[in-house]
């Protein structure tokens, strides 16, 4: 006992002596006297300017530490401020240092400001500091003896960070980011000790647009040796605006644990919800993972994902659920019994709702960077098969193959308004109305295609969209950096078929489009009726299109249209006018000496033909034709003119003539107009053109033919003997050469 007493006494004396020494140093040593040397040292080593505006205070007992007032550090070789703090206080317990244990009493930082910059060449404005630190660390590792003792233990009583700001200017990307009002408060940070941590901040950015606030709390436990971490009682609350999403709110809660050395991950009661507005739409997303365990070659648990979106009176709900399986060591995760339930609501839907169910599986191989999805089921009255794969995560390039037995898109879209229906009706003001509407058109945005990198195929057994009906639709597509190519594109439609390709390039500021398509054996009448609600033409048609355009509105696309087109129709009819009937009544018109006759299009009238063909050269939205040819047993029709697709007007001259008979179907004598060409001018809006028959020109042509015929007869009689005995008796004229010349002259 006496020995213990002596030892305690000796220890007490040592403590008193050590305390006296520390007290003396604290009382006599003034660190502020060394500010100039410290500033000069920083300048010499980093080429940066250190400013120490506040007093430096040191403490030696019972903790060793320092407290600084305002200080700042400049950019290299510049007076521009890089970082600054309003106040800094750090203290460590003294005695644990003797046992190589770092026990920090506190770390308190007030009003920190840091300005990070990535220069256009990609170098950060802290590169000089990090390079120097790495060089010093490497030097210390080289000089340190091998087999050294374990690193000191980390133990911090608490950390407090108040009103910190971090600004990041990325000159390479032309973007700015800022974190402000950053507050951090922790409990004790030590291995195996649960630490309560609270973080709050505000963040802003311009690319993409971001303006959010964040509050988060959790209880963190860690073991650095085992590389194990556990987060409990997690709460996460984010609010604000991100990109084009307003009223954004994201909440999360639950528990999670990571064991990096064992390759294990587990969650319990994890729930994430997100909601917000995007334009006129609202959405809500929810993810539940009640219990998920990933360890070694096993994975287990359940996952439920829910999505809800509303735009006006139209909504969509989706729920995806599956157990989880896989092999963590091989980094393979699988959702082997994936089930997706989808419900659509809206007044235009049959019964105001539609639903469907898909089932299948999802496999992910993180080592091979491969994903595969297989789904099948029934949605919107369509039987669906979906196979999607992805090889490589950078960049993401999915391949999607989708097959549907039938799809009626019109059944699930709002009906066209009466206003849009009447806009194309047939008054002369339709073109003016169209031009006025074009001025208020809202441009479509295809910039989203620039980030799309995908390929795949689509097969639809029967498809109806915008009243157009096709079957056996097959296409393959490839999208890369804004360019989307659909080739081949084929389908059966209106008793015929089509084949070709379509290309959209959204990479330029103004997107471009090109179409190459061939239609063969198509009934053109029903096609035009369903596609454009136009009753203009009948017959079995062949159409060849090779056109291109650019623009971000429908009107701009029409005005910029260029390329070539060709049309050939067999055994058909031109609706809106009966040219033969008009010509059969031409004799009466001639007798009454009328000139022009104008009539509006009348779909009850039509002109039958055995063959119609035309080719078009298209430039700046105007299609020009010079080789119209229409044939029938009674008619021969040619023509030329132009169709202004951009303005929606036509200006065309048709030249028609009767052939083969002098008596029409109504018994009228057509001798006066047989083989006479009648000009028919087609003008006005495409929706309701006017047909102007120029009987005055026809009368002039008929009179010219009569005079020419009379002159021919008299010249022939005179040159061939007139009414003399040779002619009367049928004897051949002596001058056979003159007769042959006349035959050649008059075509007889």
């Amino acid at each position: 006992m006496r020995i213990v007493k002596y030892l305690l006494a000796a220890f007490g004396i040592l403590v008193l002596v050590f305390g006296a020494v520390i007290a003396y140093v604290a009382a006599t040593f003034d660190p502020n006297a060394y500010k100039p040397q410290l500033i000069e040292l920083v300048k010499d080593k980093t080429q940066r300017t250190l400013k120490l505006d506040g007093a430096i205070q040191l403490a030696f007992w019972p903790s060793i530490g320092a407290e600084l007032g305002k200080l700042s550090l400049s950019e290299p070789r510049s007076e521009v401020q890089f970082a600054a703090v309003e106040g800094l206080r750090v203290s460590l317990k003294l005695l644990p240092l003797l046992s190589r244990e770092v026990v920090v009493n506190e770390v308190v930082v007030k009003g920190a400001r840091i300005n990070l910059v990535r220069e256009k060449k990609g170098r950060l404005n802290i590169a000089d500091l990090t390079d120097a630190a790495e060089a010093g660390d490497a030097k210390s590792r080289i000089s340190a003896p091998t087999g050294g003792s374990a690193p000191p233990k980390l133990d911090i009583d608490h950390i407090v960070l108040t009103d910190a700001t971090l600004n990041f200017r990325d000159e390479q990307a032309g973007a700015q980011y800022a974190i402000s009002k950053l507050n951090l408060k922790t409990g004790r940070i030590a291995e195996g000790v649960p630490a309560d941590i609270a973080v709050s901040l505000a963040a802003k950015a311009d690319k993409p647009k971001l303006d959010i606030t964040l509050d988060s709390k959790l209880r963190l436990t860690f073991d650095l040796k085992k590389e194990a971490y556990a987060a409990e009682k997690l709460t996460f609350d984010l609010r604000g605006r991100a990109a084009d999403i307003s009223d954004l709110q994201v909440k999360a809660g639950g528990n999670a644990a990571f064991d990096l050395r064992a390759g294990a991950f587990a969650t319990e009661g994890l729930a994430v919800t997100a909601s917000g507005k995007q334009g006129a739409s609202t959405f809500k997303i929810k993810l539940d993972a009640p219990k998920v365990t990933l360890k070694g070659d096993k994975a287990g648990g359940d996952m439920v994902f829910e999505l809800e979106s509303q735009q006006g009176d139209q909504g969509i709900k989706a729920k995806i659920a599956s157990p989880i399986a896989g092999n963590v060591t091989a980094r393979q995760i699988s959702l082997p019994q994936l089930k997706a339930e989808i419900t659509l609501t809206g007044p235009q839907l049959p019964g105001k709702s539609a639903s469907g169910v898909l089932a299948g599986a999802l496999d992910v191989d993180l080592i091979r960077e491969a994903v595969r999805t297989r789904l099948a089921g029934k949605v919107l009255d369509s039987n669906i098969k979906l196979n999607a794969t992805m090889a490589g995560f950078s960049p993401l390039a999915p391949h999607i193959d989708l097959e549907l037995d039938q799809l009626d898109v019109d059944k699930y879209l709002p009906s066209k308004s009466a206003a849009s229906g009447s806009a194309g009706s047939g008054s002369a003001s339709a073109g003016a109305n169209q031009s006025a509407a074009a001025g208020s058109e809202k441009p479509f945005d295809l910039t989203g295609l620039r980030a799309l990198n995908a390929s795949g195929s689509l097969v639809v057994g029967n498809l109806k969209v915008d009243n157009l009906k096709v079957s056996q639709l097959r296409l393959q597509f490839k999208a890369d950096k804004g360019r989307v190519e659909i080739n081949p594109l084929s389908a059966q439609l209106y008793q015929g078929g089509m084949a070709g390709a379509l290309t959209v390039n959204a990479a330029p500021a103004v997107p471009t489009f090109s179409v190459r398509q061939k239609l063969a054996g198509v009934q053109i009448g029903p096609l035009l009726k369903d596609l454009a609600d136009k009753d203009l033409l009948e017959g079995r048609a062949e159409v060849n299109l090779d056109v291109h355009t650019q623009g971000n509105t429908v009107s701009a696309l029409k005005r910029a249209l260029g390329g070539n087109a060709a049309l050939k129709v067999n055994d058909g009819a031109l609706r809106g006018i009966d040219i033969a009937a008009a010509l059969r009544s031409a004799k009466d018109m001639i007798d009454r000496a009328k000139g022009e006759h104008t009539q509006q299009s009348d779909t009850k009238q039509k002109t039958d033909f055995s063959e119609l063909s035309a080719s078009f050269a298209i430039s700046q939205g105007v299609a020009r034709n010079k080789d119209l040819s229409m044939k029938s047993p009674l008619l021969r029709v040619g023509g030329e003119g132009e169709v202004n697709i951009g303005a929606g007007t036509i200006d065309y001259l048709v030249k028609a003539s009767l052939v083969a008979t002098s008596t029409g179907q109504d018994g009228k004598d057509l001798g006066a107009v047989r083989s006479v060409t009648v000009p028919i001018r087609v003008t006005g809006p495409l929706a309701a053109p006017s047909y102007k028959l120029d009987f005055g020109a026809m009368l002039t042509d008929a009179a010219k033919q009569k005079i020419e015929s009379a002159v021919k007869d008299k010249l022939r009689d005179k040159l061939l003997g007139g009414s003399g005995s040779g002619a009367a008796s049928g004897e051949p004229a002596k001058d056979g050469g003159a007769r042959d010349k006349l035959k050649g002259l008059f075509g007889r």
Side-chain angles (χ1 to χ4, degrees):
M1 294 296 297
R2 183 175 296 178
I3 294 176
V4 173
K5 183 177 180 180
Y6 290 155
L7 289 175
L8 290 174
F11 180 75
I13 293 172
L14 288 174
V15 169
L16 289 175
V17 172
F18 188 64
V21 171
I22 292 176
Y24 175 77
V25 172
T28 59
F29 178 72
D30 182 11
N32 293 283
Y34 294 90
K35 280 184 180 182
Q37 292 91 327
L38 181 59
I39 292 172
E40 185 64 28
L41 178 64
V42 171
K43 187 75 170 181
D44 180 59
K45 296 295 183 182
T46 67
Q47 305 301 309
R48 294 171 182 260
T49 300
L50 175 66
K51 292 183 179 180
L52 298 170
D53 297 332
I56 302 175
Q57 298 180 8
L58 298 180
F60 295 95
W61 186 265
S63 298
I64 183 172
E67 182 173 357
L68 290 79
K70 291 183 178 181
L71 64 90
S72 65
L73 186 66
S74 74
E75 296 279 3
R77 295 171 296 279
S78 172
E79 294 302 315
V80 177
Q81 182 175 285
F82 162 67
V85 295
E86 294 294 322
L88 172 65
R89 184 169 70 251
V90 180
S91 64
L92 290 77
K93 290 186 178 180
L94 184 60
L95 293 180
L97 289 175
L98 302 177
S99 302
R100 292 186 57 81
E101 292 184 3
V102 178
V103 179
V104 180
N105 265 355
E106 62 179 355
V107 176
V108 179
V109 182
K110 298 179 180 179
R113 302 285 186 274
I114 300 176
N115 299 309
L116 285 176
V117 178
R118 185 194 302 276
E119 299 171 354
K120 291 184 178 180
K121 294 182 179 180
R123 182 180 173 85
L124 289 172
N125 64 339
I126 58 170
D128 59 319
L129 300 178
T130 57
D131 292 346
E134 290 177 0
D137 184 57
K139 183 177 180 180
S140 65
R141 287 197 301 269
I142 294 172
S143 60
T146 59
S149 57
K153 293 182 179 180
L154 177 64
D155 193 342
I156 304 175
D157 186 73
H158 64 274
I159 299 174
V160 177
L161 181 65
T162 59
D163 195 24
T165 298
L166 172 63
N167 296 310
F168 176 47
R169 187 174 76 253
D170 191 341
E171 295 179 347
Q172 216 175 32
Q176 293 189 357
Y177 310 88
I179 296 176
S180 62
K181 300 178 182 179
L182 174 58
N183 297 290
L184 170 68
K185 186 176 182 180
T186 76
R188 183 184 175 192
I189 306 295
E191 289 192 68
V193 177
D196 291 325
I197 300 175
V199 180
S200 65
L201 59 87
K204 290 186 177 182
D206 60 354
K207 290 185 179 180
K209 291 288 185 180
L210 185 72
D211 189 357
I212 60 170
T213 59
L214 169 67
D215 289 286
S216 181
K217 295 180 180 180
L218 75 155
R219 176 167 290 177
L220 177 66
T221 305
F222 64 92
D223 188 325
L224 296 178
K225 290 182 179 179
K226 295 181 178 180
E227 297 183 82
Y229 307 86
E232 300 175 297
K233 299 182 179 180
L234 170 66
T235 63
F236 181 96
D237 190 352
L238 181 148
R239 299 170 183 267
R241 183 183 185 90
D244 59 344
I245 300 175
S246 60
D247 296 339
L248 177 64
Q249 184 172 348
V250 181
K251 291 188 175 184
N255 304 320
F258 303 84
D259 190 330
L260 301 181
R261 186 172 296 179
F265 168 74
T267 68
E268 184 176 357
L270 183 63
V272 181
T273 62
S275 61
K277 289 183 179 180
Q278 191 171 24
S281 303
T282 62
F283 69 88
K284 184 177 182 180
I285 299 173
K286 183 178 181 181
L287 172 66
D288 285 324
K291 190 171 184 179
V292 176
T293 303
L294 309 175
K295 185 176 182 181
D297 59 351
K298 295 182 180 180
D302 295 286
M303 179 212 68
V304 179
F305 174 82
E306 297 181 19
L307 167 66
E308 183 176 345
S309 178
Q310 191 76 27
Q311 183 174 8
D313 51 9
Q314 302 177 46
I316 179 173
K317 292 183 179 180
K319 181 179 180 181
I320 302 173
S322 176
I324 299 174
N327 187 320
V328 179
T329 304
R331 296 186 183 180
Q332 296 174 349
I333 302 297
S334 176
L335 304 179
Q337 300 175 30
L338 185 63
K339 184 178 180 181
E341 301 175 2
I342 303 171
T343 301
L344 302 177
T345 57
Q348 79 282 0
L349 297 175
K352 297 186 178 181
S353 68
S355 61
V357 177
L358 295 173
L362 171 66
D363 301 312
V364 180
D365 190 323
L366 296 177
I367 294 179
R368 296 181 179 179
E369 295 188 350
V371 179
R372 183 182 179 187
T373 304
R374 304 171 302 283
L375 294 171
K378 191 170 185 178
V379 178
L380 301 179
D381 298 324
S382 302
N383 293 310
I384 295 176
K385 291 182 180 179
L386 171 67
N387 287 292
T389 59
M390 186 160 56
F393 294 163
S394 181
L396 296 176
H399 180 89
I400 303 169
D401 295 318
L402 179 61
E403 184 176 342
L404 301 90
D405 65 337
Q406 62 88 29
L407 178 61
D408 186 349
V409 178
D410 295 347
K411 188 176 179 180
Y412 304 101
L413 291 178
S415 60
K416 295 181 179 179
S417 65
S420 63
S422 61
S425 63
S427 66
S429 62
N433 293 337
Q434 183 180 7
S435 300
S440 60
E441 273 188 283
K442 183 178 180 181
F444 49 79
D445 185 7
L446 299 181
T447 55
L449 295 178
R450 298 174 184 173
L452 181 62
N453 186 9
S455 60
S457 66
L458 173 65
V459 176
V460 183
N462 292 286
L463 174 66
K464 180 184 177 186
V465 54
D466 201 17
N467 207 37
L468 183 67
K469 308 174 189 70
V470 302
S471 62
Q472 300 304 313
L473 173 68
R474 297 178 180 273
L475 64 85
Q476 293 183 355
F477 71 91
K478 184 177 181 181
D480 183 22
K481 298 177 181 179
R483 179 182 174 87
V484 180
E485 184 175 0
I486 301 176
N487 187 11
L489 169 60
S490 64
Q492 299 295 314
L493 70 168
Y494 300 90
Q495 303 179 30
M498 72 174 191
L502 168 66
T503 302
V504 178
N505 191 351
V510 179
T512 63
F513 303 79
S514 64
V515 178
R516 289 183 293 105
Q517 198 64 234
K518 181 177 182 180
L519 282 72
V522 173
Q523 288 293 341
I524 193 70
L527 173 60
L528 290 176
K529 183 65 176 176
D530 288 348
L531 181 63
D533 196 25
K534 298 291 188 295
D535 199 2
L536 302 175
L537 199 59
E538 295 179 2
R540 190 171 291 275
E542 292 186 6
V543 181
N544 286 282
L545 288 175
D546 188 356
V547 296
H548 53 82
T549 186
Q550 63 179 13
N552 55 9
T553 65
V554 174
S555 296
L557 295 179
K558 290 180 179 180
R559 291 192 299 269
L561 189 65
N564 298 282
L567 170 69
K568 184 177 181 180
V569 185
N570 293 317
D571 301 324
L574 179 65
R575 300 192 67 89
I577 185 172
D578 187 345
I579 298 176
L583 294 181
R584 285 195 294 270
S585 62
K587 186 175 185 298
D588 294 338
M589 302 296 295
I590 294 173
D591 292 341
R592 288 176 295 194
K594 288 192 175 181
E596 295 181 345
H597 173 67
T598 302
Q599 67 180 63
Q600 291 297 118
S601 172
D602 183 356
T603 56
K604 295 180 181 179
Q605 299 186 19
K606 65 179 182 178
T607 300
D608 296 322
F609 57 80
S610 58
E611 181 182 297
L612 182 148
S613 64
S615 63
F616 297 87
I618 308 171
S619 178
Q620 300 296 316
V622 179
R624 295 177 174 85
N625 164 257
K626 296 182 179 180
D627 61 356
L628 174 68
S629 174
M630 188 176 77
K631 300 176 182 178
S632 76
L634 187 63
L635 291 170
R636 290 295 182 267
V637 178
E640 61 180 339
E642 63 182 37
V643 178
N644 193 323
I645 301 169
T649 61
I650 184 171
D651 185 3
Y652 204 87
L653 179 62
V654 177
K655 296 181 179 181
S657 61
L658 286 168
V659 295
T661 180
S662 63
T663 303
Q665 295 176 2
D666 54 5
K668 290 186 177 182
D669 180 14
L670 302 178
V673 293
R674 181 164 57 87
S675 299
V676 174
T677 300
V678 179
I680 304 173
R681 177 68 67 176
V682 185
T683 58
L686 281 171
S690 296
Y691 298 89
K692 181 183 294 183
L693 281 70
D694 191 350
F695 288 107
M698 183 178 69
L699 179 62
T700 302
D701 190 23
K704 186 188 299 183
Q705 287 193 23
K706 285 184 178 181
I707 295 172
E708 185 180 275
S709 179
V711 171
K712 287 180 182 179
D713 290 339
K714 288 192 175 187
L715 284 175
R716 182 176 63 248
D717 291 343
K718 186 174 182 180
L719 293 175
L720 298 181
S723 58
S725 60
S729 62
E731 294 180 2
K734 295 180 180 180
D735 191 359
R739 181 173 58 188
D740 292 340
K741 291 179 180 179
L742 285 173
K743 287 182 179 181
L745 175 64
F746 297 112
R748 302 294 293 268

